[in-house]
Amino acid sequence: MQIPFNKPYMTGKETQYIEQAVNSGKISGNGLFTKKCQDFFENKYGFIKCLLTTSCTDALEMAAILLNIKQGDEVIMPSFTFVSTANAFVLRGAKIIFADSKKDHPNIDENLLESLITPKTKAIVVVHYAGVACEMDTIMSLAKKHNIYVVEDAAQAIDSFYKGKPLGSIGHLSAFSFHETKNIQCGEGGMLAINDEQFKERAEIIWEKGTNRSAFFRGEVNKYGWVDIGSSFLPSEISAAFLWAQLESLDKIQNKRKEIYKHYQNELKSLEKVGVCLPKIFDYESNNAHMFYFVCNSLEERTGLIKFLGESKIHTVFHYLSLHKSPYFNNQYVGEELIHSDNFTSKLVRLPLFFELNNEMLYKITNQIKLFYEK
Ligand SMILES: Cc1ncc(COP(=O)(O)O)c(C=O)c1O
């Protein structure tokens, strides 16, 4: 029995809704299913406006355009994140200022931020790692004090909360991913959520290639044309129809993922005795069971564990590689050592977590992990 790291879950309704989209004769973007999905997110999580995109990467690129990021503007973010978090701002000419993670969690250490802020700082991008919230009260009050924007990279954070507030609803802008590895997915997909009225109108223009086509279709202008910069950020109705099927099953998917997470948490608790650090969830936040990871004692231990599990046909993976040490950025980096980011880079391992993981598979995984540590 091969246990993959991920298996995208299909609710069974996806093809039915795709067929509906095809039969409607309207399969380009911004149609009925796009609207259904956007309304769902706005109503459930209270975002002022949502725009589906073809990826979280696209949503981050839209955020960078919306914030008017220009050559030399500084943007603070964690080094322990996916390439797109930084690349979206680099494309606009930003200078990336990497901050370290917390000692006990991959999220950005909010206590380091003030010392990194300069008159050139335009934005802080936080990443809610594994769907677990960054310390948003501190971050938002710092941003207010220094008049800078906050973007939430909520790629992994759908249906997760910070002191009761949905993640993605706290910063000025936020970006979600519906890539097939995420809780809710449509293969490749994403969304920009807007929480500040000033960005509402322009976001729609950027989304539609720099044109006011959306306003035209609403009958607000009698012709549409080129009014700003933008790109083709919107997904087709095929993707939106797929996503709608997933959204209808959001609670079912989340409940199942939380059960799997609980299994890992209970079964692996004993590993703390051998120095393994299990994921930390702070009192003020919820857990959307996006990911189950733990931090090994060393790189060698992690390499051995992944190999051992692989021999039992269990696929486990690691990520991210500190961006400040990446081949692209390495030569530009001038800051301090980011020891916690590097620590997670070399010691963090992710376990399979997908809807169809059954008890037999789960016990096989946790028993094999325990066996590795008994050896
Ligand atoms: C933190 C973070 N940001 C952005 C992305 C990019 O998401 P997408 O593949 O939807 O562009 C990812 C991908 O996993 C991610 O983990």
Side-chain angles (χ1 to χ4, degrees), residues 55-57 60 81-82 84-85 127 153 155-156 177 179 182 189 320:
S55 61
C56 180
T57 302
L60 289 162
T81 182
F82 191 69
S84 303
T85 318
V127 179
D153 181 338
Q156 307 172 351
S177 175
H179 181 263
K182 303 302 186 290
Y320 302 111

Side-chain angles (χ1 to χ4, degrees), residues 4 45 47 59 212 250 332 354:
Y45 301 116
F47 309 125
N212 52 350
L250 176 74
Q332 304 169 46
F354 54 87

Side-chain angles (χ1 to χ4, degrees), residues 58-70:
D58 266 3
L60 289 162
E61 288 175 21
M62 284 184 72
I65 297 173
L66 271 170
L67 298 184
N68 276 326
I69 299 292
K70 293 190 190 61

Side-chain angles (χ1 to χ4, degrees), residues 7 50 62 68 80 102 113 139 152 154 253 260 278 280 282 309:
K7 182 169 180 234
C50 290
M62 284 184 72
N68 276 326
F80 192 74
K102 291 163 175 287
L113 295 178
I139 293 165
E152 295 177 70
I253 293 171
I260 295 170
L278 296 184
K280 193 165 173 126
F282 303 93
L309 294 174

Side-chain angles (χ1 to χ4, degrees), residues 79 98 321-331 333 336-339 341-343 345:
S79 177
F98 285 118
L321 305 175
S322 289
L323 292 182
H324 71 292
K325 290 197 171 161
S326 61
Y328 174 75
F329 202 86
N330 197 18
N331 292 339
Y333 186 68
E336 292 177 10
E337 287 285 302
L338 305 180
I339 53 171
S341 178
D342 290 344
N343 190 46
T345 293

